Amino acid sequence: MTDVTVDQVVDHHDDHGGGHASSLGLSNMKLAFWLFLGSECLLFGALISSYLLSKTRFITEIIAGNPNVVSTMPAELIQEFQEKGSVEPMFDIPFTSLSSFVLLMSSLSMVLAHSAIVKGDQRNTRLWLGTTAMLGSIFIGGQIYEFTAFYREGLTFTNNLFGSAFFTLTGFHGIHVTGGIIMLLSLLFLSFQGKLNSSRAETVELVGLYWHFVDVVWVLIFTIVYLIP
Amino acid sequence: MAIIEGEPLALPSGTPDDRPNPLGVFARPHNATGFKDWLTTVDHKKIGIMYGAAAMFFLILGGVSALLIRIQLATPNNTFLSADAYNQVFTMHGTIMVFLVVMPIGAAFANFLMPLQVGARDVAFPRINAFSFWVFLFGGLMLNTSWFLGGGADGGWFNYAPNNGIAYSPSSGIDFWNIGLLIAGIGSLTGAINLITTVLNMRAPGMSFMKMPVFVWMTLVTQFLLLFAIPVLTVAQVLLMLDRQFDSNFFNVEQGADPLLWQHLFWIFGHPEVYLMILPAFGIVSEIIPTFSRKPIFGYPFMVFSGVAIGFMGWGVWAHHMFVSGLGPLSVSAFSVATMFIAVPTGVKILNWLATMWGGKLTLNTAMLFSIGLVTQFTIGGLSGVSHAIAPSDTQQTDTYYIVAHFHYVLFGGALFGFVAGMYFWWPKAFGYKLGEKLGKWNFWGMVIGFNLTFGPMHILGLQGMPRRMQTYDDAMGLNLWNFVASVGSFILGVATLLVLVNAYLSSRKWKAAGRPDVGPDPWDGRTIEWSIQSPAPNHNFDVDPVVTSLDDFWHRKYAEDESGKIRRVATGAQLAQPGNGEGVHLPASSYWPIVLAASFPIIGYGIMFTLWLTIPGGLLLVLGLYGWSLEPADDLDLPHDHDDHADLAGVGASHD
Amino acid sequence: MFTWGPKYLFGVSISALIGAVVYGLVTGGDPIGVVSLGYKGGVGDHLGYVMLIAAFVSAQVLCWIMVATRDGDAEVLAQRVGAGAVPPVQAPADPSYWGVVTAFGVAAVVVGLALSSLFFYLGLAVLMVAALMWLLLAWSDRASGDPEVNRVVRDRVAGPFEVPLLSLLAFAVVAIAFSRVFLAASKTGATVAGGIATVIIFGGAVLASRISLKPALMRSVVVLLGVVVLAAGIVGAAAGERDFHHGEEHGDSHSIDEGEGE
Amino acid sequence: MSDTAISENAHDTAHDHDAHDHPQEKQYWVIFAILAVLTAVEVAWSYLGLTGPALVLPLIVMMLAKFFLVAGVFMHLYFDLKMLNGKYFTWAFAGAVVLAVIVYLVVFATFHFRFAYFG
Amino acid sequence: MTKFARPTVWRRRRGPATLVQDMNASLTAARGRRGVPSAAFALVALLTLSACAEDKPLNTFEPRGPQAQMIDNLMTRIWVIMAIVFVLVVGGGIALAIKGRVKAEDFDYEDLPYQRHGNDKLEIGWTIAPAVLLAIICIPTVATIWKLEERNEPQELDVMVIGRQWWWEYRYDVDGDGFFQDANGDGVVDDKDIEWPLELALDNDDLSIANELVIPTGEQIDLVITSGDVIHSFWIPRLNGKRDAVPGRIHTWSLEADEPGKYNGWCTEYCGLSHARMRMSTIALSPADFETWYANQMLQAELPEAPAEGEVASPEWAGRQTFEQVCASCHVVDTPGFEYAENFVAPLTAKAAPNLTHFATRSVMAGAIFSQYSEDPTGRLIDADDDSFDVSNYLGLADEGRFNDAQLRRWISDAPSQKAMAAEDQRGMPAFPQLTDEDLTNLVAYLATLD
Ligand code: HEA
Ligand code: HEA
Ligand code: CUA
Ligand SMILES: [Cu+2]
């Protein structure tokens, strides 16, 4: 945002007549942001693939009883994994469903924030920005909880393939959400300082795009990691 | 990325509504000359030139390591390099050449040329552009500091797992490889976003997609490939970093990991990567061949769509690097067939270039010769490519010198020849004088002969069964003769390659001695709008925005049909060119922060490798960089805003050589 | 270019650094440890050493900020604003509360020395922040004669740090509070607690968006909410984590000690 | 002959779009309701005790539905793509998505094939 | 063009003399008939054929088994097509350049060439033509891919190939249970059934040898390929293409040799420090010889005779003692009455060192870079070609006098000086500076008894 886009340069030039309009009718910033998200898709695509592969291999080894793998977790868990033939016993589906729901909800509040700022409605902009950030924080709180719980139950980042892959994938997502929340709260602060008027609706829209993207990634992770273990 | 894109949103500066900033905190630098200007510039032309210069520097590093390889292999059972040293040398050679030579030269042309060809004053995000360059440079330099800090990477340029693991490569060479490229990758990614935005959004009025020069199209495709390929490599590298530095298990076979994960991730990146190395060169010769054949490019839409098709198909063939990795016959068949069909769009390009030359009046100057060199030599490389796209024959050829021959033919004979052609062609636009033709001819023929002498025999060596990455071979294997020939060739090639730099130096001296004569805006009777401005290109590029009405717009302004339908020249380029008066043009000001921000990455990188403590100052520098970046006023307040004050800026471009 | 401010601060910082090294050595630190911030080898007396290093760091940061902002030279600023004259310097309008915070930091450090390292580090952090902010405030206060301008000056310099850091802090407090509650509750309890919190927050927001509350009331509700979350978090943390063993139904526990995983 | 294949005037497409094309708040609520229901069904489905394709396929379908709803409506992708030179970008986008899916499937086919051909 | 077809009788290698004649013939014929393109064509022929002109032990143009032949047949067609395209495009490019050139000064700006923008029909034509051509190539390609994957029924002789840094281990499934380790499993080899890591269990009913794979002729031998550390690649060019040895994965591949002989290969996947010194060779024996060899390999090694009271110990016996003290932590010699620790695992990253039970029946050692019988004092493999093939070496009948003990001594006392290894990181054999000259003599004497 603060980069000196040539748009601005062109703005100047426009004063003297002539100059570029954006060829596509999208602002540079928004276009760039979409491109960035496109690239993020591949990032998460690769991470999800790595997770799926690692988890499959882990289960295969567990079922085969590879002693190197079996010895990495409490016997009881291993036994359940073997019985189910999956890592499902690790997960707490009701809780994660709630988390997913919270994140979906936050997407709604995000669009509401955007439509509020487009209308110039400062109050509701703040309200929904705050709500979105709050819901995001619940999600992250849930993730801290889940990580701690897994850790206590005997799944760590270093002990086996599943642990490495699970924490890496969800951790990457968590970091993205955290970044999003910080952006949201910063917007909120700016709004309180009176620096967020409707001329910056696009900023809110961009943060929104990011937020929805993070949500969409969770939609994938939730189904692929948790519901189809 | 998230930080760069996300963070500034939260910051209260630089917004259109509170500009110009009344407090001028963190004023922008405003040196128009001197090295400080190069460090802080955000001008796409200077950044392009710096990309080129950095690539030349790395070319010498990569070239010297290539020569070390060739010395070692000149005779059987040679002991010039130890096995360990040899492994480092070829790994670093491949890595440097791919990531620090060919990719940045592509970036150099994209940066320098693309905005000129679309008629823009700069790229969409000039500061991010500078950042991309610096972060690439620092990543590359960091990678090369490994030579002094315990040895270079020794896993081969594709660094297969699990050989890249800490158990098999305990030195920090692979960490340098990993983290250095991770850092350079950040630059590629931001660069890609920037350049795509520029192409899509900043074209001159009237320049619709089908009126874009072919080079711009190829840049667009290339940058899209980068945009999507880099994150995949990033993931592979992050996983490797987690394994090596933080004890995770992604490639830990004892825990049941599948080493093929690395191969898939690497080649899903790697194959698009090879096309993104060649497509800019394709774009370059697509500009040069029509110019010197005095004909329009044959079949413009086919040229464009075949480039796009290559871009798309490039995503579906990666496993041809893994034909013998044990994928199973179904996958192998699928990838084999898919790979073979990439020859179709590529063939269209080759044949269209030939058709462009057909019936033309060819000016065989150095740029044109190098272009023809690309067309022919790339074809040889492409054909050997098809021969190992046939999976069964690849089981005999893979990992032999036949492959080495293939990829040097496409990379050196293709990409680098194209780039050298481009250098000869656009040198006047960048620096105001032409490179010497006479030395150019020597340059060309030396390179052609040296190149074919070096890599031609490698086809034979490979088919005679010489595997690649061999520190040495035995007398009894019958490989002596061709290895020796290749080694001799490589020295011819090395000297001939150096002639590019020699030529630049001598021509510049001659030019200066002659009192810097003006080469004119349009020295080659060019076709696209970058020739409609003065040489060297003024700082502000275009005095007024060009309005484009057709493909090869500038050419169409110079030539028109007379009553009899015959095409006649109606004006010379010099008559039509813009005078280079920057009055009233406002340019983005230089900035300290891209380089500061970029410098923080290698520090963090060293921290991850050696001691986490170092990440703290690195992180602080990062924060400082972002902080300064966001506080920087949109304009340089020290440059007065009166419109007549910019004439001095226009001269800047001419002051370097 | 370099006005007296940065020069002075630079001097201060260098003396602090030298002081830290000397102090560290005198109190039994290892030479390598002392220069490598304790990376390899000891630094002698921790407290003094850390304080001096902290002084060094904050003085450095401020020094460079001042270089970059030309020491907030009122003349320059005025020129930029286009104002004809520089208003005379006035005494700061508001009392500064950083002194109190600093005192609090010192107290925390002292208590921390006696009780737990957590307090110690917390105190240190507070001290660093306070030192920085206080100096910044003092500096901006003499930027010009207009307190309004001074505030803007301060905000511009501090904003890019303040806003994201405060955001991070706010987020961290909320997220950690929630996680403590979840961790303290039972498995089902965590889900229920999360559900209730979501309903309250989102439901509240929907309500608030529909009806028009007085801003003051709004504010109190939000503050109340914050306090509740914080309190719940503290209570949760105090209650400690529930017993973790896999599958709550089976009785036999199999919790793993913290150390074992790594 | 070449210039007509795709022609689009760079200038005309630049117009202010925020106000009219975009969905209204009510639509957002509707979409959210659909998303919520889909999530609920997904979770319920996972509790049915099914295995194999019976479990996976419906879940994937619902997942994709959610994905495209969020991307399309909340992220305004449908509207933005329409607003750009509709045909060209939509096709490029669709092409990329199809390609991505194929690539994805192929990777997985590759990894699982090993079990099938052995023996 | 017929010059490219493989001679129908491919079992015999063609002598250099005939080749030169062939080449000359093709050159003259080409020159006479079609001028420049044919000359270029002949050039390709020359280069291709020159590949066969000398002794090239790894040459990919000399198939000696049905699989390699299959690949070669396919390739022959490809070469032809490639040569045609090459001549057309490269020749065409050069011709156009020469024909169209105009000196820059002579160029008349008023007299432009005809400004052709394209020709749809032509372009579609040269889009479709290569596509059709490639589609045709696809058919035999895919067919060959699948043919190369055809395996015997699992009952027949299976060999497991294990890549190690930097040598090859071969395990024969002697008891035919589908396992290569111990005999308590059932069924075929499947990913799940392979125990990982592959350790050299000593209660082994199966056979483990190193560096030289011995197979009977005229029979398709199915290989089960894996690795104990990093990725390697198994390649005997004259018998078949290559297949990677990937740790944690099991790949299959087949070999068949038509005639007895020695077929060399080279590890082709970069595998670290001594990748260049990780070679391999496959010995094809007639079925009868193979039986003899096999029976011999199944025997345990004999223990040297212990010295009687008061007698001076024989060097063999003394060597055996040293061996037990120094070498047996890594190397196995399967001898009667000697108890190894259960689940013996060598202290190496690769988890195993070559099994030396029948060391003296192999003609190469240390990743097939040294010849046991080389007369060259460096021990280098100067006789890499099949001419050196001497069946008696493999049947335990070797003439002991030919043993190259100078090289072996150097190896035992300081292996890393002979072959780059990272013994300090548990990769490769360490140096033993503590061994005296006498120890070395004894060890060599002992090793020479292991036939
Ligand atoms: C600029 C880079 C570049 C380019 C453009 C290409 C282009 C191609 N490459 Fe290459 N390739 C590399 C760089 C490149 N490659 C590198 C670096 C490696 C090695 C990596 C490593 O292992 O280190 C490699 C390796 C490599 C392999 C793996 C080999 C192995 O390791 O076993 C394969 C296998 O299929 C392959 C195939 C192809 C094909 C089919 C093309 C096609 O795109 C070529 C198409 C072009 C033509 C065919 C010529 C023109 C066409 C006509 C004139 C039409 C008529 C033609 C026919 C009908 C055939 N390449
Ligand atoms: C664009 C990419 C590129 C380029 C330009 C080159 C250029 C050259 N390459 Fe490179 N090469 C690769 C990419 C490239 N290579 C890759 C990707 C690999 C695979 C690595 C791997 O397996 O991991 C490889 C591997 C590779 C090998 C195989 C190593 C092995 O498998 O063991 C060899 C062997 O001969 C080789 C040789 C050369 C030579 C002689 C040049 C020459 O063309 C270089 C000529 C240039 C110069 C010499 C520089 C200019 C002049 C000077 C520096 C002055 C000094 C000169 C004199 C005094 C004469 N290369
Ligand atoms: Cu083993 Cu290379
Ligand atoms: Cu490829």
Side-chain angles (χ1 to χ4, degrees), chain A residues 82-204:
Chain A
Q82 280 167 336
E83 277 162 17
K84 285 261 184 182
S86 80
V87 293
E88 194 233 286
M90 200 73 226
F91 298 131
D92 178 358
I93 299 293
F95 187 84
T96 318
S97 309
L98 175 76
S99 296
S100 313
F101 195 70
V102 168
L103 215 50
L104 274 183
M105 221 178 237
S106 75
S107 259
L108 176 63
S109 58
M110 188 69 234
V111 276
L112 294 178
H114 178 230
S115 79
I117 196 167
V118 170
K119 288 188 205 134
D121 178 352
Q122 285 287 333
R123 176 176 168 279
N124 277 337
T125 307
R126 287 175 200 168
L127 177 72
W128 290 120
L129 281 178
T131 308
T132 312
M134 196 73 179
L135 292 172
S137 306
I138 296 187
F139 176 85
I140 292 293
Q143 205 168 33
I144 298 175
Y145 158 68
E146 188 192 37
F147 279 20
T148 319
F150 283 9
Y151 193 80
R152 298 277 183 266
E153 287 176 19
L155 181 73
T156 71
F157 179 64
T158 52
N159 61 5
N160 54 37
L161 262 180
F162 173 52
S164 301
F166 176 82
F167 286 115
T168 304
L169 173 59
T170 52
F172 251 81
H173 179 260
I175 291 172
H176 276 75
V177 177
T178 304
I181 296 174
I182 292 178
M183 290 194 243
L184 287 168
L185 287 176
S186 301
L187 286 182
L188 194 61
F189 278 109
L190 293 185
S191 170
F192 282 120
Q193 291 179 357
K195 290 177 181 158
L196 194 74
N197 49 32
S198 9
S199 74
R200 296 193 83 177
E202 191 181 79
T203 309
V204 177

Side-chain angles (χ1 to χ4, degrees), chain B residues 271 274 317 320-321:
Chain B
H271 191 82
V274 306
V317 300
H320 64 217
H321 297 275

Side-chain angles (χ1 to χ4, degrees), chain B residues 7 10-13 21-27 610-611 613 623 627 630-631 637-638, chain C residues 37-39 65 68-70 77 80-81 149 152-153 156-161 163-164:
Chain B
E7 200 75 9
L11 304 172
S13 68
N21 167 5
L23 289 168
V25 183
F26 284 99
F610 293 118
T611 144
W613 286 101
V623 172
Y627 178 70
S630 59
L631 271 184
L637 293 167
D638 290 337
Chain C
L37 296 179
Y39 167 57
I65 287 179
T69 56
R70 296 164 211 196
L77 296 178
R80 299 250 172 94
V81 189
V149 171
V152 177
V153 170
R156 270 201 62 76
V157 175
F161 281 132
V163 171

Side-chain angles (χ1 to χ4, degrees), chain C residues 113-159:
Chain C
L113 275 178
L115 290 180
S116 87
S117 57
L118 179 71
F119 278 106
F120 176 73
Y121 288 118
L122 210 71
L124 269 188
V126 171
L127 268 184
M128 290 263 264
V129 172
L132 205 87
M133 294 320 245
W134 202 355
L135 279 167
L136 194 66
L137 189 68
W139 164 77
S140 71
D141 271 341
R142 45 161 288 280
S144 78
D146 182 353
E148 194 47 34
V149 171
N150 292 353
R151 198 183 59 75
V152 177
V153 170
R154 199 207 81 93
D155 277 358
R156 270 201 62 76
V157 175

Side-chain angles (χ1 to χ4, degrees), chain A residues 6-18:
Chain A
V6 171
D7 272 318
Q8 292 166 11
V9 175
V10 166
D11 276 346
H12 263 264
H13 195 230
D14 266 347
D15 303 342
H16 320 291

Side-chain angles (χ1 to χ4, degrees), chain D residues 17-62:
Chain D
H17 60 278
D18 264 333
H20 42 97
D21 284 352
H22 283 178
Q24 297 307 302
E25 270 180 33
K26 213 170 129 200
Q27 277 172 279
Y28 291 142
W29 281 94
V30 174
I31 296 297
F32 172 68
I34 300 175
L35 288 171
V37 170
L38 276 174
T39 309
V41 175
E42 270 194 320
V43 175
W45 198 266
S46 79
Y47 273 96
L48 290 182
L50 300 170
T51 51
L55 171 73
V56 175
L57 280 184
L59 285 181
I60 297 280
V61 170
M62 284 185 273

